[in-house]
Amino acid sequence: MAKYETTHTAFLGVDLDLLENPIYSDMDVRAAMLYALYKDRAHLSLYSYTQLGNKRYIDENGVFIIFTNEVAAKALHTTTKMIGKFRKQLSDHGLIQIRRNGLKGYKIYVNEVQRTPKNVKLTLPWMNHYVEIKKSVSEWTLAAQIQHWNNMALASKSKVQHESDVMGSTCIPNGLTSLTPSSLTTNSLNNNGLDDNTHARKGKLNPIQSSQPTQSKPINPYNTLPEKIKQSFVKTFGFVTKQVALELHTLIKQTDVDMVNYVVESAFGRKITSPIAYVKAAISNALKRGDRCVQDMINYYENNVKKPKVKRNIKKSTKPSKNTPYTREELDILLNTTEEEVRTYYPALFLKRLQLRMQKENRKPIIPIYKLGE
């Protein structure tokens, strides 16, 4: 008998309505796989906006994705031409909308799949086509919480009454506060020195709600970075991830904003494979040297790193070069006479000059029509 083992691996979910709904019957099944890729990426864009506060993949038309045909072709083991065909099918069926994104490619907006009508006979009836999630609150748990708070209020009230009987006084000590819902008012809290309590300013407290801690969204470290650091880092390296933002916050605490910004701006134009490693190394070296501000770093660079420009004195030699085909006498003649005089009085030198000129121009030498000595 075969043994089946359940493994928890990542998978890509395909909406069954793409297979069951008759309006998608003419669509290639590989187009359904492409839609599943788009849908999964759209969930990631939505999570990035709602949980991390990243507005890069959202605009006035909604959440979008940037998914190139090359990446999709590699994932589905096909060609970019076929991906373009599948994408057109999705667009014709209203499953996606494609808009131009300047010179960076295209924005893809992913729409929902139309549900299969109830009168359609399902091809896969054993599959769970719909998942219905219901949220319920246990009445016993709620009643138990209310009873718990009532018991605490009664116990506190009896304790206060007992102490007042022993001391012969009807005043409640300052250190004790009744927990009955009627006593948790603004006046009673203010009398106990809790004027700054935010719940007291809002009025009465619900004991069940006050016992549950409020959950706040995690703060995106990118949003708390100084604006000059954001601009310089994006200009120099092109991006700022969440981990990079955390590292930058650590470096700013160790030094200050100006020193970190100076290191980032000084890296502009350099080929750096690991931006945050470069910045951390530069800051670490500056701290080891004892630099306390940007001016200390500039002074160190000017005195120890920057190489001074050396001016070279080039003397022009009057002697003919070894590669010069003329002798010293021929050079004197060429410099002190015109070309017409050279042709008339020094025909051999003129011919030599003409031949060198033709060789330089990669042409055949011109044979003069006269003979030497004429």
Side-chain angles (χ1 to χ4, degrees):
M1 183 175 180
K3 295 182 179 180
Y4 298 94
E5 296 181 358
T6 303
T7 58
H8 299 280
T9 58
F11 63 91
L12 187 66
V14 178
D15 198 319
L16 291 180
D17 288 311
L18 294 175
L19 307 179
E20 298 283 10
N21 199 332
I23 63 174
Y24 303 125
S25 59
D26 60 336
M27 191 171 64
D28 197 305
V29 69
R30 289 173 291 181
M33 290 293 296
L34 180 62
Y35 176 82
L37 285 175
Y38 289 163
K39 190 70 174 180
D40 186 73
R41 180 62 70 85
H43 287 164
L44 182 61
S45 298
L46 183 61
Y47 174 84
S48 177
Y49 170 67
T50 57
Q51 300 299 325
L52 304 179
N54 186 3
K55 298 182 180 179
R56 182 178 179 182
Y57 299 104
I58 188 170
D59 56 12
E60 64 277 2
N61 298 315
V63 177
F64 64 88
I65 64 173
I66 297 177
F67 206 108
T68 62
N69 290 354
E70 290 76 13
V71 176
K74 188 175 181 180
L76 298 182
H77 303 170
T78 184
T79 61
T80 56
K81 184 177 180 180
M82 293 300 297
I83 292 296
K85 177 181 177 181
F86 301 151
R87 196 165 70 170
K88 186 177 184 304
Q89 293 182 9
L90 296 177
S91 179
D92 294 340
H93 286 83
L95 294 173
I96 61 172
Q97 293 179 358
I98 305 173
R99 295 189 179 183
R100 187 72 183 179
N101 187 24
L103 300 177
K104 299 181 180 179
Y106 297 89
K107 294 179 180 179
I108 302 176
Y109 301 85
V110 184
N111 301 326
E112 295 295 332
V113 179
Q114 295 187 23
R115 297 305 169 202
T116 305
K118 295 183 179 180
N119 58 352
V120 175
K121 185 178 180 180
L122 300 179
T123 307
L124 308 173
W126 64 90
M127 301 293 292
N128 292 327
H129 285 66
Y130 304 99
V131 179
E132 185 176 359
I133 300 175
K134 292 184 178 180
K135 294 183 179 180
S136 61
V137 179
S138 175
E139 295 181 358
W140 182 89
T141 303
L142 183 60
Q145 289 183 356
I146 295 174
Q147 186 64 32
H148 171 71
W149 284 102
N150 289 336
N151 292 339
M152 290 185 63
L154 292 175
S156 176
K157 185 176 181 180
S158 61
K159 183 178 179 181
V160 172
Q161 184 64 31
H162 175 70
E163 291 185 357
S164 63
D165 293 340
V166 173
M167 298 176 62
S169 174
T170 59
C171 296
I172 299 176
N174 292 332
L176 300 174
T177 303
S178 176
L179 296 180
T180 58
S182 60
S183 64
L184 293 177
T185 59
T186 305
N187 294 332
S188 63
L189 289 174
N190 289 341
N191 293 336
N192 287 279
L194 300 178
D195 294 335
D196 295 333
N197 194 305
T198 56
H199 298 289
R201 291 195 297 268
K202 292 182 180 179
K204 296 182 179 180
L205 286 175
N206 187 342
I208 297 177
Q209 294 178 354
S210 62
S211 63
Q212 298 177 356
T214 58
Q215 296 181 356
S216 59
K217 293 183 179 180
I219 300 175
N220 189 356
Y222 173 79
N223 296 333
T224 57
L225 276 177
E227 193 63 30
K228 62 162 56 174
I229 295 293
K230 291 182 185 178
Q231 295 178 0
S232 60
F233 203 94
V234 171
K235 179 182 178 181
T236 303
F237 302 112
F239 64 94
V240 179
T241 62
K242 182 178 180 180
Q243 185 61 32
V244 170
L246 292 174
E247 297 287 353
L248 290 174
H249 275 294
T250 304
L251 295 175
I252 291 173
K253 290 180 181 179
Q254 294 177 358
T255 55
D256 56 29
V257 177
D258 294 333
M259 291 183 66
V260 176
N261 187 62
Y262 171 75
V263 173
V264 173
E265 289 181 344
S266 64
F268 182 76
R270 301 184 181 181
K271 295 182 179 180
I272 299 174
T273 57
S274 180
I276 192 61
Y278 169 82
V279 177
K280 290 173 66 176
I283 293 295
S284 177
N285 294 334
L287 294 177
K288 290 180 181 179
R289 294 193 303 266
D291 296 346
R292 298 182 178 180
C293 60
V294 175
Q295 190 60 42
D296 294 341
M297 301 177 72
I298 295 176
N299 294 338
Y300 177 82
Y301 175 78
E302 294 290 339
N303 299 329
N304 300 280
V305 180
K306 188 177 181 181
K307 296 181 180 179
K309 295 182 180 180
V310 179
K311 294 183 179 180
R312 297 181 180 179
N313 296 326
I314 301 175
K315 296 181 179 180
K316 295 183 179 180
S317 177
T318 56
K319 296 181 180 180
S321 175
K322 295 181 180 180
N323 298 328
T324 303
Y326 300 107
T327 62
R328 181 63 178 274
E329 292 76 9
E330 291 174 342
L331 286 175
D332 292 339
I333 295 173
L334 293 174
L335 293 174
N336 298 324
T337 57
T338 62
E339 185 175 357
E340 187 65 27
E341 293 176 349
V342 173
R343 182 175 182 177
T344 304
Y345 300 105
Y346 306 98
L349 180 59
F350 176 78
L351 180 62
K352 181 179 179 180
R353 183 178 182 181
L354 187 63
Q355 289 176 347
L356 292 174
R357 185 181 299 174
M358 292 299 102
Q359 290 177 4
K360 186 176 181 181
E361 297 178 358
N362 294 325
R363 298 179 182 177
K364 294 182 180 180
I366 299 177
I367 301 175
I369 59 177
Y370 60 88
K371 297 181 179 179
L372 295 178
E374 293 182 355

